[in-house]
Amino acid sequence: MAVEDYAASLDSIQAARNRIQGQIRVTQVITSSSLDALAGRSLFFKCELFQRGGAFKIRGASNAIFSLSDDQAERGVVTHSSGNHAAALALAAKLRGIPAHIVVPRNAPKCKVENVERYGGKISWCDPSVESREAVCASVKSKTNAVLVHPFNDPQVISGQGTVALEFLEQVPQLDVIIAPISGGGLISGISIAAKAIKPEIKIIAAEPTGADDAARSKAANSVQTNKQTCTIADGLRASLGSLTWPIVRDFVDEVVTVDDSAIIEAMKMCYERLKVVVEPSGAIGLAVVLSDKFRSNPAVKHCTNVGIVLSGGNCDLTGLWESLPN
Amino acid sequence: MAVEDYAASLDSIQAARNRIQGQIRVTQVITSSSLDALAGRSLFFKCELFQRGGAFKIRGASNAIFSLSDDQAERGVVTHSSGNHAAALALAAKLRGIPAHIVVPRNAPKCKVENVERYGGKISWCDPSVESREAVCASVKSKTNAVLVHPFNDPQVISGQGTVALEFLEQVPQLDVIIAPISGGGLISGISIAAKAIKPEIKIIAAEPTGADDAARSKAANSVQTNKQTCTIADGLRASLGSLTWPIVRDFVDEVVTVDDSAIIEAMKMCYERLKVVVEPSGAIGLAVVLSDKFRSNPAVKHCTNVGIVLSGGNCDLTGLWESLPN
């Protein structure tokens, strides 16, 4: 299959980087000798939780929005998302000075809804079902003529997310493997296209919750599978692969490693207590993978001593912490 | 009063930096446009929570330990501390390969005791009173002949802490003011000596909890006052000034600004939710000060647009957060 058949390429990702560089942050990479000792490898954590909006999503959202013609942009954008893409799209729209309509399920995490509101997104509520979400989205679209920016199944979004890998490999050229979370697959698609074009021998591992394991099942079946229902604390990782991300995941992601919620929570604790960074469950899953028996015993990554882990976001509900303090 | 009369000088702080540079991290400085907007100034956060051991304390502890002669070092070191100095001394002793004896009150925060243990410190428990602490400390000293490294009232410790300012002013030369927490005064003493030697016009503000406000009262009375009792969530800020730190605080710290626990907690929330870093209450107090009415209405800092804030540590008890998660 020729590279042109995929939704993104190194060229489109480099173009994305030029397009969005004034809108996003180059996020830092941190390390921890105690976690290195625990993993038996050198770990490099790419801190997308320090990204604008608290997650990598602004990369794809701003690439999509700044790719629009003036005529398109004027109509505004719309998306359906319970989480970080929604806030990122609202923020990117604000940066271009256009309206963003966000369809949000009523059970979305409060902190993520607040982020949408902080950036001036116009919220339309829907029920937490695909049908309700699509119906409300269609209604908003027909009323406003806004351009839909899908959370992951969009070439510009995938290319924007791929800029993570361009930075990461400049910051840590010796990476042998990159581990990133997988949900709809936008992030890992962009990363795998960029990283393998720059460094063909690099391994790309997708980290997925066992309670939403469509990507692992899709890879095993070599055909796209969906999540009929999901059960995981990682609220950012409940989507299923899309038509544009699946071919990239199929051909460029070396392995999907699943971990359960208790491993995700354990990894979160380590991020807070050792790395001193605030991650959401979805953000910590890469660390859970590198510490898992599945990864440790995998012969394909045995010689990967320099491991890049994308801490994808830090928009976490901390109510429990605040309630535990005096006052 | 000549500079030589103080316990530290720019020379001793630069010597400390050379001595400890292989042992410590140059910590990064982070920013947040949303907090800038809230404060109406440009804020620069020096992240000592990313320092080895999770706090700035390793700077002073390693300077003290690597200043010892081989004969002294062989006997080991001893200190009394409930917190970050204890862990830092254990870590610095481990780096030099010598024993560290730590006298810890039985009510010390669990996460801080765990840090001492992780770094191989030998713990002797005492009751939470000055008398018990001193008695146990004397007993350990007489048994082991170990060298006492005081948490703050020690010239090498003060000089080590001052290296924060050397880095900070190299990273952000335009700083108009530095705000750092004050407890025993080791950190702010080192910072104020270094910063004013490099940039005489810079302002130095000490941030202190209202529930342990000996420094504010000492400055007001122009004589050293102590805390008879303390009442603050900031467990790292309950000590009173010492004989070596008071003259420096008196002559080099422009102002002590007190804030109450609710302001400290509010600042903690902002650090977690906006900056995405884990701070302990003592670590967040500088942000509480810059957002306080006292600071905003202070004519002496009216024209200070570039504000450096030392986020001094991140060893925080997060049990409430973990208990709020499923499983």
Side-chain angles (χ1 to χ4, degrees):
Chain A
M1 201 182 225
V3 167
E4 298 86 85
D5 292 320
Y6 299 107
S9 64
L10 182 58
D11 280 353
S12 73
I13 295 167
Q14 283 168 333
R17 186 189 209 178
N18 292 333
R19 189 174 292 119
I20 66 179
Q21 62 186 357
Q23 318 299 336
I24 67 152
R25 290 188 165 161
V26 175
T27 54
Q28 58 226 26
V29 173
I30 62 175
T31 60
S32 158
S33 51
S34 77
L35 291 182
D36 285 359
L38 209 59
R41 315 185 192 235
S42 295
L43 308 182
F44 300 89
F45 298 91
K46 176 77 170 155
C47 290
E48 286 295 297
L49 48 93
F50 291 139
Q51 189 51 266
R52 293 186 77 175
F56 70 94
K57 292 281 190 180
I58 187 68
R59 296 174 182 268
S62 61
N63 191 45
I65 282 186
F66 284 89
S67 296
L68 297 175
S69 70
D70 287 346
D71 280 357
Q72 291 174 306
E74 208 170 74
R75 289 147 44 195
V77 289
V78 59
T79 199
H80 47 78
S81 161
S82 56
N84 289 323
H85 173 69
L89 197 74
L91 174 55
K94 189 179 165 191
L95 293 170
R96 188 157 177 181
I98 64 172
H101 305 275
I102 314 291
V103 178
V104 179
R106 289 179 220 284
N107 66 346
K110 190 164 160 273
C111 65
K112 293 187 175 179
V113 177
E114 285 170 356
N115 281 345
V116 172
E117 288 168 338
R118 179 180 307 142
Y119 300 129
K122 297 168 198 294
I123 292 179
S124 303
W125 296 101
C126 69
D127 293 332
S129 72
V130 176
E131 297 71 29
S132 167
R133 191 180 73 188
E134 288 180 352
V136 175
C137 205
S139 148
V140 171
K141 226 168 140 357
S142 77
K143 268 186 230 156
T144 61
N145 209 15
V147 179
L148 177 71
V149 181
H150 192 277
F152 53 85
N153 212 41
D154 177 305
Q156 304 294 357
V157 170
I158 294 170
S159 291
Q161 320 302 31
T163 61
V164 170
L166 301 184
E167 284 174 26
F168 209 174
L169 280 168
E170 282 169 13
Q171 291 167 315
V172 195
Q174 71 270 33
L175 288 182
D176 301 309
V177 55
I178 296 177
I179 306 176
I182 192 166
S183 178
L187 174 64
I188 200 125
S189 291
I191 285 177
S192 61
I193 292 272
K196 294 214 167 174
I198 294 167
K199 189 169 181 175
E201 71 276 21
I202 201 167
K203 301 279 181 200
I204 305 293
I205 306 287
E208 189 173 52
T210 47
D213 66 346
D214 64 298
R217 288 183 287 110
S218 298
K219 287 283 275 188
N222 201 31
S223 70
V224 69
Q225 310 289 313
T226 56
N227 294 315
K228 293 224 172 55
Q229 54 185 31
T230 60
C231 176
T232 173
I233 191 177
D235 59 278
L237 302 181
R238 292 173 190 153
S240 295
L241 291 167
S243 58
L244 299 181
T245 52
W246 161 240
I248 302 175
V249 170
R250 181 190 62 205
D251 297 344
F252 291 87
V253 171
D254 293 280
E255 209 128 354
V256 181
V257 177
T258 56
V259 285
D260 63 22
D261 279 11
S262 65
I264 293 173
I265 291 171
E266 202 47 49
M268 273 182 83
K269 285 189 191 179
M270 290 180 194
C271 288
Y272 282 69
E273 294 178 354
R274 311 279 186 99
L275 297 176
K276 308 295 180 188
V277 293
V278 171
V279 294
E280 55 188 281
S282 314
I285 194 171
L287 177 58
V289 163
V290 83
L291 297 174
S292 69
D293 288 339
K294 277 181 204 158
F295 185 85
R296 289 175 190 270
S297 63
N298 186 335
V301 294
K302 197 179 167 192
H303 300 291
C304 292
T305 52
N306 297 302
V307 181
I309 296 173
V310 181
L311 301 179
S312 56
N315 295 320
C316 193
D317 184 351
L318 299 167
T319 312
L321 177 57
W322 310 132
E323 286 177 351
S324 73
L325 298 181
N327 287 306
Chain B
M1 199 182 227
V3 168
E4 298 86 87
D5 292 320
Y6 299 107
S9 65
L10 182 58
D11 279 352
S12 72
I13 295 167
Q14 283 167 333
R17 188 191 207 174
N18 292 335
R19 190 174 293 122
I20 67 179
Q21 63 186 357
Q23 319 300 336
I24 66 152
R25 290 189 166 161
V26 176
T27 55
Q28 57 226 25
V29 173
I30 61 175
T31 60
S32 157
S33 50
S34 77
L35 291 182
D36 285 359
L38 209 59
R41 316 187 191 232
S42 295
L43 308 183
F44 300 88
F45 297 92
K46 176 77 170 156
C47 290
E48 286 295 298
L49 48 93
F50 291 138
Q51 189 51 265
R52 294 185 78 175
F56 70 94
K57 292 282 190 179
I58 187 69
R59 296 174 183 269
S62 60
N63 191 45
I65 283 187
F66 284 89
S67 296
L68 296 176
S69 69
D70 287 345
D71 281 355
Q72 291 175 306
E74 209 169 73
R75 289 146 45 194
V77 289
V78 60
T79 200
H80 48 78
S81 161
S82 57
N84 289 323
H85 173 69
L89 197 73
L91 173 55
K94 189 179 164 192
L95 294 170
R96 188 156 177 184
I98 63 172
H101 305 275
I102 314 291
V103 178
V104 179
R106 290 179 219 285
N107 66 345
K110 190 163 159 273
C111 65
K112 293 187 176 178
V113 177
E114 285 170 354
N115 282 345
V116 172
E117 288 168 338
R118 180 181 306 142
Y119 299 129
K122 296 169 200 294
I123 292 179
S124 303
W125 297 101
C126 69
D127 293 332
S129 72
V130 176
E131 296 71 30
S132 166
R133 191 181 72 187
E134 288 180 352
V136 176
C137 206
S139 148
V140 171
K141 227 168 139 356
S142 77
K143 268 187 231 155
T144 61
N145 209 16
V147 180
L148 176 71
V149 181
H150 193 277
F152 53 86
N153 212 41
D154 177 306
Q156 304 295 357
V157 170
I158 295 171
S159 291
Q161 321 302 31
T163 60
V164 170
L166 301 183
E167 284 175 25
F168 209 174
L169 280 168
E170 282 170 12
Q171 291 166 315
V172 195
Q174 71 270 32
L175 288 182
D176 301 309
V177 54
I178 296 177
I179 306 176
I182 192 166
S183 178
L187 174 64
I188 199 123
S189 291
I191 285 177
S192 62
I193 293 273
K196 294 214 166 174
I198 294 167
K199 190 170 180 175
E201 71 277 23
I202 200 166
K203 301 278 182 201
I204 305 293
I205 307 286
E208 189 174 52
T210 48
D213 66 346
D214 64 298
R217 288 182 288 110
S218 299
K219 288 282 275 187
N222 201 32
S223 70
V224 70
Q225 310 290 314
T226 56
N227 294 315
K228 294 227 172 53
Q229 54 185 30
T230 61
C231 177
T232 173
I233 190 176
D235 59 278
L237 302 181
R238 292 173 189 153
S240 295
L241 291 168
S243 57
L244 299 181
T245 52
W246 161 241
I248 303 176
V249 170
R250 181 190 63 207
D251 297 344
F252 291 86
V253 171
D254 292 281
E255 210 129 352
V256 180
V257 178
T258 56
V259 285
D260 63 21
D261 279 11
S262 65
I264 293 173
I265 291 172
E266 202 47 48
M268 273 182 83
K269 285 189 190 177
M270 290 180 193
C271 289
Y272 282 70
E273 294 177 354
R274 311 280 186 99
L275 296 177
K276 308 294 179 190
V277 292
V278 171
V279 293
E280 55 188 280
S282 314
I285 194 171
L287 177 58
V289 163
V290 83
L291 297 174
S292 70
D293 288 339
K294 279 182 205 158
F295 186 85
R296 289 175 190 272
S297 63
N298 186 334
V301 293
K302 197 177 168 194
H303 300 290
C304 292
T305 51
N306 298 303
V307 181
I309 297 172
V310 181
L311 300 179
S312 56
N315 295 320
C316 193
D317 184 352
L318 299 166
T319 311
L321 176 57
W322 310 133
E323 286 177 351
S324 73
L325 298 181
N327 287 307

